[in-house]
Amino acid sequence: LGLLSAASCGAFSPQKMNQRRLLSRSSNLNHGQQQKNPFIRDIFDAKNQRRHSEAFDIVLFAAKIGIFFGSSTGSTEGVADLIASEFGSDAEGPFEIDGIQGSVAKKFSEYDALVVGTPTWNTGADSERSGTGWDEVYYGEMQDLNISGKKVAVFGLGDQISYAENYADASGELHDVFQDLGCQMLGYTSQEGYEHEESKAIRGDKFCGLLCDEVNQDDLTEERVENWVAQLKTEGIMDGSTTGASSPSVSVSEPIDVPIVTEPSPVASSQSSMDQIAALEAENARLRKMLEDSKMMDSVLKSEILADGYAPHYNPKTCVTMWTSPDGKQCYYTKDAPRNP
């Protein structure tokens, strides 16, 4: 049963899954038996070189991307929602910056990468140009963050016709604050298709992130978001963990099959043939019991999954089942059709 966890949740956290369902069981079987009898130890040493096909591969992924925004009229929140929808279960949020003031460091530390957005209201100002909660944390709480190396992408909103000389200026400040903290900035975009004259969000010949104009080009926003999220994935926003992330990916691969001994291994020449046969028969019986226990693990896992209340949604075309939590916010996938244990 291969499990892919799309969100970092209590029931399927790396620590809990590893402890409850696989490692405690398999390690108790293997280690305990090895200590009791050197004959068993020899078998498990050989098993490490002959890894059989009956094994569980469990890979768990933490929620890697957090989406944060500041907003005054709701337009930036709307674009944040589109971005979250495009990332799907690979992201959490969007979270309004006003709601996490005082705990910015804790919240940011939960993610390997951040997508952050702002509107522009204080047009032409040298700093604090967003007119949102970002202005309250830029040069106070955020200056104490230890997020060097974290991947960050910026998006912003502005009016390129009415404020052609200051289009989406606040996006540039948002970009610079994170860049000055040592973050790895992603998601630069072309200026083609816009009608602005100047912008403090320009770095080199590109915008420092995704810029949207919900006043004059709202019909282009959805396509721009789709293209930008695809670009971020290409640039590696979902690849690997970074400094400051508290929920790294964990991969566990443990064989739980136990070979059945059919031929005796070499023993001391002084031991009688009858003693050898008796010893092998006893070990064979023990190993057969261990094998039967290991085959029960699949049904045990499924029983626990169903007990957690996750509902299966089987796709016969891909032969993949998506299991969703009762609140619909968490899911994982298995590579077989759902079956009652």
Side-chain angles (χ1 to χ4, degrees):
L1 174 64
L3 303 182
L4 298 180
S5 174
S8 178
C9 57
F12 293 93
S13 66
Q15 295 85 356
K16 191 166 185 180
M17 282 288 287
N18 292 349
Q19 292 171 359
R20 283 178 56 195
R21 299 183 172 171
L22 183 58
L23 295 183
S24 63
R25 191 163 190 149
S26 61
S27 61
N28 286 342
L29 280 173
N30 297 355
H31 182 71
Q33 294 296 336
Q34 290 180 56
Q35 294 301 317
K36 290 180 180 179
N37 195 312
F39 179 77
I40 297 293
R41 183 169 62 249
D42 291 340
I43 291 176
F44 277 90
D45 288 342
K47 185 193 69 171
N48 291 333
Q49 299 176 2
R50 298 184 300 165
R51 304 179 71 87
H52 292 268
S53 59
E54 290 233 354
F56 282 99
D57 289 325
I58 295 183
V59 182
L60 301 112
F61 296 92
K64 297 175 70 83
I65 301 170
I67 302 174
F68 299 86
F69 71 95
S71 186
S72 296
T73 65
S75 295
T76 308
E77 181 177 7
V79 174
D81 286 334
L82 289 175
I83 293 170
S85 178
E86 195 65 26
F87 273 114
S89 60
D90 294 318
E92 289 186 354
F95 307 102
E96 187 164 10
I97 190 66
D98 289 343
I100 65 168
Q101 287 188 26
S103 59
V104 172
K106 179 179 181 298
K107 195 64 178 177
F108 283 1
S109 70
E110 296 176 9
Y111 303 98
D112 293 331
L114 308 175
V115 175
V116 295
T118 180
T120 297
W121 285 100
N122 298 327
T123 305
D126 292 331
S127 63
E128 292 93 12
R129 295 190 287 265
S130 78
T132 72
W134 285 117
D135 298 339
E136 306 300 322
V137 300
Y138 277 155
Y139 307 107
E141 189 176 350
M142 285 189 62
Q143 294 305 305
D144 297 325
L145 297 181
N146 180 19
I147 56 174
S148 179
K150 189 181 292 290
K151 297 173 182 178
V152 177
V154 170
F155 69 96
L157 273 71
D159 181 341
Q160 62 191 298
I161 303 300
S162 301
Y163 301 94
E165 296 181 355
N166 302 101
Y167 177 53
D169 280 355
S171 304
E173 183 177 21
L174 182 62
H175 168 278
D176 292 349
V177 169
F178 279 98
Q179 186 177 58
D180 290 345
L181 290 170
C183 296
Q184 180 183 348
M185 308 306 296
L186 306 175
Y188 293 73
T189 60
S190 171
Q191 298 183 57
E192 293 183 11
Y194 295 84
E195 301 179 37
H196 64 291
E197 296 177 10
E198 295 181 17
S199 173
K200 293 183 175 68
I202 297 174
R203 299 294 179 272
D205 63 348
K206 295 181 178 294
F207 289 133
C208 63
L210 170 67
L211 299 191
C212 296
D213 186 340
E214 292 296 271
V215 177
N216 306 289
Q217 294 181 335
D218 58 310
D219 57 318
L220 300 178
T221 297
E222 187 171 345
E223 180 182 0
R224 284 172 172 168
V225 167
E226 291 176 359
N227 293 337
W228 190 59
V229 170
Q231 174 186 333
L232 292 177
K233 291 179 179 180
T234 300
E235 292 178 4
I237 195 169
M238 296 168 58
D239 296 344
S241 61
T242 56
T243 302
S246 63
S247 301
S249 300
V250 178
S251 177
V252 180
S253 180
E254 284 290 335
I256 61 170
D257 60 312
V258 180
I260 298 175
V261 178
T262 57
E263 296 182 4
S265 62
V267 293
S269 57
S270 60
Q271 186 177 6
S272 69
S273 297
M274 293 298 295
D275 289 340
Q276 294 179 42
I277 294 172
L280 290 174
E281 288 178 345
E283 299 303 345
N284 262 332
R286 181 175 298 166
L287 290 173
R288 287 181 185 277
K289 179 64 167 60
M290 291 167 59
L291 181 59
E292 291 173 359
D293 288 343
S294 70
K295 287 181 178 179
M296 292 175 59
M297 185 168 293
D298 184 48
S299 61
V300 171
L301 286 173
K302 290 176 182 176
S303 297
E304 292 186 10
I305 287 168
L306 292 175
D308 287 336
Y310 279 65
H313 307 277
Y314 180 61
N315 185 332
K317 186 174 182 180
T318 62
C319 297
V320 171
T321 300
M322 180 176 70
W323 298 79
T324 56
S325 62
D327 60 11
K329 295 182 179 179
Q330 299 159 355
C331 69
Y332 61 90
Y333 299 86
T334 61
K335 296 180 179 179
D336 58 351
R339 299 188 301 270
N340 291 325

